[in-house]
């Protein structure tokens, strides 16, 4: 992509309304535009990041056996009355009426709707287990939306819903999502720690929040220091092997880890002081197992092996991709701007032409841009007629993993500069060597 033809409205000044790092940098880098309180337009650069996050989430959900569908944003109020949640949910729910005075709502979550879909088609235990998920926009009318997309009113959510014939099956479905979440966040370069959590308005008796530690986190969390060295499950884990999957869950839940709502101070303080971690954290995922909370009132039943009807055991599993974009920045930035992990970076390489109009520099940049693009490396080519300092500042701000700096002085010696955005390391290489290095890292 040529920057001269791209839409990336960089802000030179920090917007006054931005309270935290991710909000400031997302606005400055031209990723977002606030349309009203807690509601944002995702501009091209931000949308590329959001799509990268969605792809990883989708791949890991599919790997764990979940099946994608797409449910609507608008839901009939009657479904929520069936479950008993319509009056209990509170003012966060946006309640509306259509032109025929039918009561509707903008979905804050989808337990009721997916249960209604399930009961319309599934009749036998032979069709279980089943896990259905979608990636869809949600709306919760926060009383005080703040921190950009970290706590917005409209947000993108991956929500999955499992259905099982019995509690043992539901436990395995929960464990599969637990493992899938560890892998999902690891692929994004995040260390996410599963912590015992409150079930809140979703309900149920078993719940874990996946927390990344960050100084700018919204809440205090407590855990054993061993979690900092745990490695995520391998890509080839067999999700049908109940023992292997449960072993992962057992290992990741054997040590103390809890959010402030579930914190047991005496149990935590019983740990040796050197093994305690008390920090700020950002929630990036939340999973629940709630049994028959929805299937009983909504009559989501199947015929068991003995021919008798039984309500299905259910769970729900959420990841907020829009929130994750901000969380990734909170965990990956410096004074100059964002530092994207490669897996979610909007582009892999920023190519800067330091002297547009110089024949040799233009030719070298065009050649590199064409070769890298053809090889499948995503390049943002800064071909604008602007000062080198402005180009350096822009590339540092938007945080692409690598920067290729091409100027007349280096080319006179047959070299260009390759900069690693994370480490700041710079290296002078021939154009061919730089190309081969970037190609190898893309493999």
């Amino acid at each position: 992509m040529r920057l001269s033809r791209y839409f990336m409205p960089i802000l030179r000044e920090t917007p006054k309304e931005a309270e935290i790092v991710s909000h400031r940098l997302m606005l400055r880098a031209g990723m977002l535009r606030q349309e009203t309180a807690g509601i944002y337009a995702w501009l091209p650069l931000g949308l590329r990041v959001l799509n990268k996050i969605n792809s990883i989430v989708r791949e890991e959900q599919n790997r764990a056996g979940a099946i994608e569908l797409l449910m609507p944003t608008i839901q009939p109020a009657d479904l929520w009355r069936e479950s008993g949640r319509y009056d209990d949910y509170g003012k966060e729910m946006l309640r509306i009426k259509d032109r025929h005075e039918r009561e509707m709502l903008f979905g804050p979550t989808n337990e009721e709707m997916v249960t209604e879909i399930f009961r319309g088609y599934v009749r036998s235990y032979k069709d279980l287990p089943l896990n259905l998920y979608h990636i869809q926009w949600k709306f919760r009318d926060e009383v005080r939306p703040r921190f950009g997309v970290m706590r917005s009113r409209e947000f993108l959510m991956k929500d999955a819903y499992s259905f099982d014939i019995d509690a043992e099956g539901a436990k395995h479905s929960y464990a599969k999502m637990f493992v899938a979440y560890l892998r999902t966040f690891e692929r994004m370069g995040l260390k996410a720690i599963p912590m015992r959590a409150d079930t809140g308005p979703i309900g149920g008796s078993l719940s874990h929040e996946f927390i990344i530690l960050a100084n700018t986190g919204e809440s205090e969390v407590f855990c054993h220091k061993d979690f900092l060295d745990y490695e995520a499950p391998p890509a080839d884990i067999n999700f049908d092997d109940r023992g292997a999957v449960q072993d992962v869950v057992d290992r990741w839940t054997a040590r103390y880890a809890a959010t402030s709502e579930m914190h047991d101070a005496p149990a935590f303080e019983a740990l040796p002081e050197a093994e305690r971690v008390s920090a700020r954290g950002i929630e990036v995922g939340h999973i629940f197992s709630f049994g028959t909370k929805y299937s009983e009132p909504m009559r989501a039943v199947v015929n068991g092996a003995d021919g008798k009807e039984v309500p299905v055991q259910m769970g729900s599993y959420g990841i907020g991709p829009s929130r994750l974009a901000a969380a990734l920045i909170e965990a990956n930035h410096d004074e100059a701007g964002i530092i994207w992990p490669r897996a979610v970076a909007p582009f892999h390489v920023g190519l800067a032409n330091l002297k547009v109009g110089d024949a040799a520099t233009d030719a070298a940049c065009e050649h590199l841009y064409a070769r890298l693009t053809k090889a499948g490396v995503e390049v943002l080519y800064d071909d604008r007629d602007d000062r080198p300092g402005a180009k350096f500042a822009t590339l540092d701000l938007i945080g692409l993993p690598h920067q290729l700096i091409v100027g007349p002085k280096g080319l006179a010696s047959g070299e260009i500069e390759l900069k690693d955005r994370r480490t700041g390391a710079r290296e002078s290489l021939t154009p061919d060597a730089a190309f081969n290095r970037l190609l190898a890292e893309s493999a």
Side-chain angles (χ1 to χ4, degrees):
M1 177 62 65
R2 296 175 186 272
L3 191 49
S4 62
R5 301 177 189 173
Y6 199 48
F7 181 60
M8 193 177 75
I10 296 292
L11 301 180
R12 300 302 176 191
E13 302 296 328
T14 299
K16 293 180 180 179
E17 71 272 19
E19 300 177 69
I20 61 172
V21 169
S22 58
H23 194 193
R24 291 197 297 271
L25 292 178
M26 292 178 91
L27 291 173
R28 285 199 55 216
M31 294 177 63
L32 297 173
R33 178 177 175 81
Q34 181 172 316
E35 299 302 330
T36 189
I39 297 178
Y40 293 84
W42 287 77
L43 305 182
L45 195 74
L47 184 59
R48 288 182 71 95
V49 172
L50 196 59
N51 287 339
K52 295 283 185 74
I53 292 171
N54 287 343
S55 292
I56 293 173
V57 169
R58 182 174 279 116
E59 287 167 11
E60 293 303 326
Q61 289 294 289
N62 294 346
R63 191 197 304 268
I67 303 166
E68 188 172 9
L69 77 169
L70 185 61
M71 291 176 273
T73 58
I74 304 299
Q75 303 181 27
D78 286 345
L79 282 180
W80 285 66
R81 288 197 173 96
E82 279 191 64
S83 72
R85 283 207 301 173
Y86 184 71
D87 294 322
D88 295 340
Y89 205 88
K91 291 184 177 181
E92 286 188 355
M93 181 187 290
L94 181 61
R95 295 165 167 85
I96 55 180
K97 289 185 178 181
D98 67 13
R99 66 194 300 165
H100 301 292
E101 293 298 306
R102 289 177 294 220
E103 292 180 292
M104 313 290 281
L105 59 97
F106 195 122
T109 184
N110 275 76
E111 281 81 8
E112 284 80 3
M113 180 160 284
V114 77
T115 304
E116 190 270 340
I117 291 172
F118 175 89
R119 73 184 180 187
Y121 298 104
V122 181
R123 298 284 184 268
S124 170
Y125 75 97
K126 295 179 181 179
D127 297 320
L128 302 180
L130 182 64
N131 189 324
L132 302 174
Y133 81 96
H134 71 161
I135 300 175
Q136 179 62 289
W137 292 95
K138 303 281 193 291
F139 186 89
R140 294 176 189 168
D141 202 0
E142 293 274 357
V143 64
R144 190 186 174 199
R146 56 196 304 227
F147 304 147
V149 294
M150 192 72 76
R151 186 176 292 177
S152 55
R153 293 195 293 164
E154 185 182 60
F155 55 94
L156 190 62
M157 177 66 72
K158 185 286 304 179
D159 38 328
Y161 303 92
S162 62
F163 303 86
D164 286 274
I165 188 63
D166 55 27
E168 190 63 27
K171 180 182 178 182
H172 181 52
S173 291
Y174 187 91
K176 287 196 292 185
M177 288 292 101
F178 189 106
V179 171
Y181 275 37
L182 291 174
R183 284 202 39 76
T184 298
F185 300 127
E186 188 274 338
R187 286 186 58 189
M188 297 179 195
L190 294 173
K191 170 68 72 174
I193 301 171
M195 300 191 178
R196 291 190 304 113
D198 185 19
T199 57
I202 301 295
S205 58
L206 178 62
S207 177
H208 284 87
E209 286 183 12
F210 289 77
I211 303 289
I212 62 169
L213 305 184
N215 293 333
T216 53
E218 60 199 332
S219 60
E220 192 172 11
V221 296
F222 308 86
C223 69
H224 195 287
K225 75 174 182 63
D226 284 0
F227 282 110
L228 304 181
D229 298 320
Y230 282 5
E231 293 185 1
D236 62 354
I237 188 168
N238 181 1
F239 281 97
D240 292 325
D241 184 336
R242 293 196 176 196
V245 172
Q246 191 61 45
D247 283 348
V248 173
V249 176
D250 291 345
R251 180 167 187 257
W252 282 81
T253 55
R255 303 289 193 190
Y256 187 91
T259 60
S260 56
E261 294 87 352
M262 302 294 287
H263 181 45
D264 182 344
F268 183 65
E269 289 165 8
L271 297 174
E273 187 174 356
E275 296 178 1
R276 295 183 223 151
V277 175
S278 176
R280 308 298 295 180
I282 299 172
E283 178 195 337
V284 291
H286 202 161
I287 61 177
F288 306 83
S289 183
F290 41 69
T292 59
K293 176 180 172 64
Y294 300 93
S295 58
E296 282 191 346
M298 296 186 69
R299 293 290 300 161
V301 299
V302 295
N303 292 320
D306 59 2
K308 295 181 180 179
E309 286 188 344
V310 292
V312 290
Q313 301 280 326
M314 292 177 59
S316 70
Y317 316 90
I319 289 177
S322 53
R323 179 185 178 84
L324 255 174
L328 280 156
I329 294 173
E330 294 292 335
N332 297 276
H333 69 272
D334 61 15
E335 292 182 356
I338 304 166
I339 307 174
W340 289 115
R342 189 184 185 283
V344 295
F347 297 92
H348 300 146
V349 181
L351 172 61
N353 184 335
L354 299 189
K355 194 168 184 180
V356 173
D358 177 81
T361 307
D362 288 349
C365 286
E366 291 292 341
H367 185 59
L368 274 169
Y369 178 57
R371 288 184 73 192
L372 288 167
T373 300
K374 185 176 180 179
V377 179
E378 297 175 342
V379 184
L380 181 63
Y381 174 23
D382 191 344
D383 59 342
R384 301 169 302 161
D385 188 8
D386 203 350
R387 297 175 296 105
K391 296 191 175 192
F392 297 151
T394 294
L395 287 179
D396 281 348
L397 173 63
I398 65 175
L400 309 184
H402 298 285
Q403 299 173 13
L404 272 179
I405 314 299
V406 183
K409 186 176 179 180
L411 283 175
S413 303
E415 293 181 329
I416 61 176
E417 187 173 82
L418 178 63
K419 175 184 173 181
D420 185 296
R421 175 66 181 91
R422 184 169 296 277
T423 66
R426 299 170 180 266
E427 190 174 0
S428 293
L429 300 167
T430 65
D432 281 345
F435 170 81
N436 290 331
R437 176 81 59 81
L438 293 170
L439 197 61
E441 293 198 10
S442 299

